[in-house]
Amino acid sequence: MSFPLVTATAVLPAVGAVATAAVPAARRTAAKWLALAVSLGTLVLAGWVLAAFEPGGERYQLTESYAWIADFGVRYEVGVDGIAAALIALTALLIPFIIAAGWHDAEPEDGADGADGADGTGRRWRPTQGFFALILMVEAMVIISFAATDVFVFYIFFEAMLIPMYFLIGGFGDRAHAAGEAEGAKQRSYAAVKFLLYNLAGGLIMLAAVIGLYVVTADQLPAGTFSLQQIAEARASGELEMATNTERLLFLGFFLAFAVKAPLWPLHTWLPNAMGESTAPVAVLITAVVDKVGTFAMLRFCLGLFPEASAWATPVVIVLALVSIVYGALLAVGQRDIKRLVAYASISHFGFIILGIFAMTSQGQSGATLYMVFHGISTAALMLVAGFLISRRGSRLIADYGGVQKVAPVLAGTFLIGGLATLSLPGLAPFVSEFLVLVGTFSRYPAAGIVATAGIVLAAIYVLLLYQRTMTGPVDKPEIAKMPDLRPRELAVVAPLIALLIFLGVFPKPLTDIVNPAVEHTLSDVRETDPEPELPAVEATE
């Protein structure tokens, strides 16, 4: 294809971000509609990427390659396999819902009209244009990260997305804080700085590994390179060989950065703060979009570049994934804050994704890829409905609710479906992915599969307790008694997500057909095959 489709899919939201930020201060509504239109245009292009991708074709398709910094072997190289195509589609799908759900999140705090900025009366204004521009900029950087097949290009955008995310967390955080606005501002600042420091620390370690990878290629190949495909071909042909210790150190440099982003226990502690102090749409952007870059990169770069080191690290990574599954679920059970509960549930779910990746089976890795997509949709549904609930009551505390289903039945019903998807109820999309992860894990590591099932039981506990405490019981609080049900805009945000959860839960084949060939390529990279089933011996009878 001569048209640079992948680049266009990333450039459109980047240009849209600049255009949205340039909208005059008094035209906040125009900025919102422009951002929404750009996100819908990006969704169309992402759908084109998905339609143009041929599951039975070359591993990387829609490729583009241009010289960038030739003296250092850096090229602008992008291309998509089935996994990248699915995650680009997920990103483009969620951004319009995030924008629509956050339609009023950057309005002036007193609700007055006028230009952004101080107006001399002491009223505080929130830069609406900046809020939506930052969301579009994150979308552009995430899409390039999924598509990049040059390690250096990936690294640049992997790190660059931290900057707009920092401002979205710290500058546009949740104002429903029990301790008041002043304390809330401190907590938002703390959460933003913690997010930035954790991810920058991981990124700096990765930078050392990226440089080390270049040195290794420059030493053994005619010229140093960051090209994923060129390095893989050189390793397969024997032209590039890495010493065992060198490969393991480089693997650790990449893996640590991805484990922070994912996040994996014990590098997870930034996520509850970041999600808790963000608005609900930004919390969805964090866990359903940005964090997926970490787990995706484990598949593409850790397993693709360092197959022997990946096999060496597998036992430890599986243990850490199991700890994430159980630890995240246990802490979710004990949470009093709705958004922090969803954050700890996500830590548990990311444990399942990483477990599936390092089970080194086709079912496990297919399940992990589907889990990335389905977790994004289910978490978006649950968190956005939770955000609508919190905006009505002005509190994130579970104890401040009760009896909501009596006054807002549609809100309660959509909240229930989002919660049931989170616990992977059969018939909803996450069940398919979680089942595949467990089957793939059981086939190679039965003990790990048994431990992981504890996460399913705990998920049922924290989801049903959350629903019981917030939605059932008597209406004994005046704020609940006058709570309105979902408005048309809010219903338009949630209904398509729920429809997708049901459709993909019943018929996931369109997505599995796209990701399965990419999983087979990944398994061939690490020289793994599915374990043969052990059949019981049958005694011959006379």
Side-chain angles (χ1 to χ4, degrees):
M1 181 178 292
S2 58
F3 178 67
L5 179 57
V6 174
T7 296
T9 307
V11 167
L12 178 58
V15 173
V18 175
T20 301
V23 172
R27 303 290 301 276
R28 292 193 303 276
T29 301
K32 296 175 186 179
W33 283 107
L34 175 60
L36 182 60
V38 169
S39 68
L40 291 172
T42 305
L43 178 58
V44 171
L45 290 178
W48 187 1
V49 170
L50 208 58
F53 183 81
E54 299 178 6
E58 296 292 327
R59 179 174 186 177
Y60 294 107
Q61 301 178 32
L62 307 176
T63 56
E64 303 168 37
S65 181
Y66 308 100
W68 187 12
I69 311 175
D71 291 342
F72 294 98
V74 179
R75 296 182 64 84
Y76 173 79
E77 287 188 354
V78 294
V80 296
D81 59 4
I83 300 171
L87 291 174
I88 289 172
L90 170 70
T91 301
L93 171 70
L94 291 181
I95 295 300
F97 296 115
I98 288 171
I99 290 174
W103 201 254
H104 299 299
D105 285 355
E107 291 291 334
E109 292 188 5
D110 61 0
D113 294 325
D116 288 305
D119 65 353
T121 66
R123 293 178 297 187
R124 297 175 62 241
W125 304 92
R126 313 188 104 206
T128 305
Q129 289 83 342
F131 177 74
F132 293 102
L134 289 170
I135 291 174
L136 291 175
M137 190 58 69
V138 171
E139 179 182 23
M141 293 176 178
V142 169
I143 289 173
I144 285 292
S145 297
F146 286 141
T149 56
D150 183 280
V151 177
F152 191 81
V153 172
F154 170 82
Y155 176 78
I156 288 176
F157 291 97
F158 179 80
E159 288 294 281
M161 71 179 70
L162 300 180
I163 304 305
M165 286 306 309
Y166 169 80
F167 288 109
L168 284 169
I169 297 169
F172 299 92
D174 191 358
R175 288 172 280 177
H177 203 285
E181 176 60 26
E183 181 62 26
K186 292 180 182 178
Q187 292 299 322
R188 291 193 293 272
S189 177
Y190 171 78
V193 171
K194 189 174 184 179
F195 162 83
L196 188 62
L197 291 180
Y198 266 67
N199 284 275
L200 278 178
L204 289 174
I205 295 172
M206 181 181 171
L207 177 60
V210 170
I211 295 171
L213 179 65
Y214 177 80
V215 170
V216 170
T217 61
D219 184 57
Q220 299 186 40
L221 300 179
T225 182
F226 293 102
S227 171
L228 180 66
Q229 292 175 274
Q230 188 175 344
I231 294 171
E233 291 170 1
R235 296 210 70 181
S237 66
E239 188 179 359
L240 176 63
E241 296 181 355
M242 294 186 192
T244 299
N245 289 337
T246 300
E247 181 175 346
R248 290 177 178 179
L249 287 172
L250 294 178
F251 167 86
L252 288 174
F254 278 74
F255 180 79
L256 285 173
F258 304 151
V260 172
K261 183 84 77 178
L264 177 68
W265 184 91
L267 305 173
H268 68 284
T269 60
W270 63 267
L271 183 64
N273 296 100
M275 288 185 65
E277 299 304 328
S278 299
T279 62
V282 173
V284 171
L285 187 64
I286 294 169
T287 190
V289 177
V290 171
D291 287 353
K292 298 302 187 298
V293 178
T295 47
F296 164 80
M298 290 180 188
L299 278 167
R300 172 167 284 189
F301 296 103
C302 287
L303 273 59
L305 292 172
F306 315 111
E308 287 81 9
S310 298
W312 162 76
T314 289
V316 175
V317 176
I318 286 178
V319 170
L320 294 178
L322 292 174
V323 173
S324 288
I325 291 170
V326 177
Y327 172 86
L330 282 172
L331 265 65
V333 171
Q335 288 304 303
R336 297 181 298 171
D337 183 308
I338 296 174
K339 291 187 352 186
R340 289 179 70 91
L341 184 151
V342 178
Y344 280 109
S346 291
I347 291 170
S348 181
H349 295 150
F350 276 103
F352 276 106
I353 294 171
I354 295 170
L355 179 66
I357 291 171
F358 282 86
M360 302 295 183
T361 61
S362 60
Q363 301 98 327
Q365 292 190 355
S366 292
T369 303
L370 294 177
Y371 215 129
M372 293 185 222
V373 177
F374 297 159
H375 170 264
I377 300 171
S378 63
T379 299
L382 179 61
M383 179 60 87
L384 292 179
V385 177
F388 299 148
L389 178 69
I390 292 167
S391 68
R392 286 159 165 74
R393 177 68 174 86
S395 173
R396 308 193 317 239
L397 298 179
I398 296 172
D400 288 338
Y401 295 88
V404 173
Q405 66 181 13
K406 292 183 173 64
V407 297
V410 177
L411 189 154
T414 53
F415 190 80
L416 178 62
I417 296 174
L420 293 176
T422 298
L423 64 82
S424 299
L425 183 77
L428 297 176
F431 170 77
V432 178
S433 54
E434 192 161 281
F435 178 78
L436 286 173
V437 167
L438 290 173
V439 168
T441 304
F442 268 116
S443 65
R444 194 180 294 277
Y445 303 104
I450 292 171
V451 174
T453 55
I456 301 174
V457 178
L458 292 170
I461 293 173
Y462 63 69
V463 168
L464 295 178
L465 282 177
L466 174 64
Y467 185 83
Q468 180 189 42
R469 293 169 179 173
T470 56
M471 301 296 163
T472 65
V475 182
D476 54 6
K477 299 178 179 66
E479 297 87 354
I480 302 299
K482 60 184 180 181
M483 181 178 289
D485 211 336
L486 289 183
R487 302 177 178 91
R489 172 183 60 86
E490 296 167 335
L491 192 58
V493 169
V494 178
L497 296 174
I498 291 175
L500 273 174
L501 288 173
I502 296 171
F503 174 76
L504 292 172
V506 176
F507 188 59
K509 188 176 183 297
L511 197 55
T512 58
D513 287 346
I514 292 173
V515 304
N516 283 344
V519 167
E520 292 174 4
H521 285 298
T522 303
L523 283 176
S524 68
D525 288 340
V526 293
R527 303 178 183 89
E528 291 282 1
T529 57
D530 289 332
E532 295 290 334
E534 296 182 5
L535 301 177
V538 179
E539 296 182 1
T541 58
E542 295 182 0

